[in-house]
Amino acid sequence: MSLHLSTVILPHRRWHEGGRSDWTRAEQLGFHAAYTYDHLSWRSFRDGPWFGAVPTLTAAASVTERIRLGTLVTSPNFRHPVTLAKELISLDDISGGRITLGIGAGGSGFDATALGQEPWTPRERADRFAEFVTLLDRLLTEDSVSYEGDHYSAHEARDIPGCVQRPRLPFAVAATGPRGLRLAARFGQAWVTTGDPKLYESGTPEQSVRALRDQTDRLSDACASLGRDPGSLRRILLTGFTPDRARPLDSLDAFVDFAGRHRELGFTELVLHWPIPDTDFAADEKIFERIAMEAPAQLG
């Protein structure tokens, strides 16, 4: 598979004060996809502007024509499969079948308590995630679904006419643990990772590559256990959270070197954060645009 370059645009700008232009520019630059985070608020952006993922993607779909769009990622922290399925089917229709659902188990951040609940334990997050993905898969592929689980229920939930993309829009499942990797192997059209978070502060790029190689090997094992060809699952790296941090965006050569090392691990898509000044995602916009336009040709 060829290596795609994509971007993730955080929903922190008012639509008519720069938000719209980011999405249209992403398409002009030739990115394969443009994603956004699906949070109620996030880290250092918590006390500033932050907009909803689904309305943002709906607006982006209305001003673009070719670029794929999606979440990176949605989680069960504040979503229910029944209502999410209806929104996704609508979004897939509006976009003309250009939506990818990035989906993960969620964490213990702000989303975990915003609805007034206690944060779930890691085990409960994993249990809910497995049920969430299983039910969502049915809701997006069947006209009517009834389901009674430990955490989620559906009673004759109607999702007609279904997705434009058949049998449903693709899932990009974020996972690193054994249960999540099995979910990716079973339900995913793609797998997403940010690397090993334990290495972010004090690890080295070489250690990160070894950790990512281990993750990809375990993903292949999960596919094999289900009788699935590991090569049929696209592999996505959301950059910016490995020990390299933003250094690959320092120059075109630096990025090509970074991308080449990760392509050798089997990654088929690298996602770059759209530059945001005075944040962890700060980058020279001219270099960023040059990478978007010139790196694909150098990577072949």
Side-chain angles (χ1 to χ4, degrees):
M1 295 184 182
S2 59
L3 181 66
H4 291 301
L5 296 189
S6 298
T7 188
V8 59
I9 301 171
L10 271 59
H12 72 292
R13 299 222 284 177
R14 290 187 181 276
W15 188 250
H16 297 293
E17 295 176 3
R20 171 179 176 149
S21 63
D22 290 343
W23 293 88
T24 56
R25 185 58 178 156
E27 181 166 76
Q28 293 167 358
L29 290 171
F31 280 113
H32 168 71
Y35 304 98
T36 198
Y37 287 4
D38 187 17
H39 291 293
L40 297 175
S41 60
W42 191 73
R43 297 189 186 181
S44 60
F45 294 84
R46 188 181 189 190
D47 294 322
W50 190 271
F51 296 95
V54 172
T56 296
L57 290 169
T58 302
S62 71
V63 297
T64 58
E65 297 178 355
R66 301 176 304 280
I67 193 170
R68 290 198 65 82
L69 305 167
T71 58
L72 210 61
V73 296
T74 291
S75 82
N77 269 356
F78 62 94
R79 297 287 190 185
H80 190 286
V82 170
T83 52
L84 178 61
K86 184 66 71 173
E87 292 185 346
L88 291 171
I89 287 171
S90 304
L91 183 54
D92 199 46
D93 179 70
I94 292 167
S95 70
R98 291 185 285 135
I99 300 301
T100 295
L101 177 71
I103 187 168
S108 57
F110 308 128
D111 293 344
T113 57
L115 300 185
Q117 77 271 32
E118 291 296 317
W120 300 325
T121 65
R123 183 184 184 89
E124 187 174 9
R125 283 202 304 271
D127 290 343
R128 285 178 175 271
F129 186 41
E131 197 171 299
F132 193 98
V133 174
T134 301
L135 177 53
L136 190 61
D137 173 69
R138 287 190 58 193
L139 289 162
L140 293 174
T141 54
E142 301 174 24
D143 289 345
S144 178
V145 174
S146 292
Y147 175 88
E148 190 67 39
D150 294 329
H151 303 287
Y152 302 103
S153 300
H155 178 67
E156 297 182 1
R158 298 293 200 276
D159 284 306
I160 301 169
C163 296
V164 172
Q165 301 174 86
R166 294 293 182 174
R168 58 156 167 77
L169 54 79
F171 288 178
V173 180
T176 56
R179 292 182 66 185
L181 290 171
R182 286 195 296 271
L183 281 175
R186 180 180 175 190
F187 292 105
Q189 284 64 56
W191 163 68
V192 182
T193 183
T194 58
D196 185 343
K198 296 190 296 292
L199 298 175
Y200 179 72
E201 292 293 341
S202 57
T204 67
E206 292 73 23
Q207 289 174 320
S208 177
V209 166
R210 288 195 294 271
L212 286 167
R213 182 178 292 111
D214 176 68
Q215 289 181 11
T216 61
D217 288 345
R218 288 188 286 113
L219 177 68
S220 295
D221 290 342
C223 288
S225 70
L226 296 174
R228 179 175 183 178
D229 174 10
S232 68
L233 191 65
R234 293 184 293 107
R235 303 179 183 209
I236 302 172
L237 175 64
L238 175 57
T239 66
F241 301 104
T242 64
D244 308 88
R245 304 196 184 190
R247 287 191 293 275
L249 300 182
D250 286 348
S251 69
L252 175 61
D253 289 343
F255 179 78
V256 169
D257 177 69
F258 173 86
R261 283 186 280 119
H262 290 82
R263 181 177 60 180
E264 291 176 358
L265 298 177
F267 284 97
T268 56
E269 184 174 347
L270 300 183
V271 183
L272 317 179
H273 285 84
W274 196 264
I276 305 175
D278 303 317
T279 71
D280 289 341
F281 306 124
D284 186 298
E285 291 186 12
K286 291 183 178 179
I287 294 175
F288 178 82
E289 293 197 353
R290 187 181 177 201
I291 287 169
M293 293 185 291
E294 299 182 28
Q298 293 200 27
L299 292 165

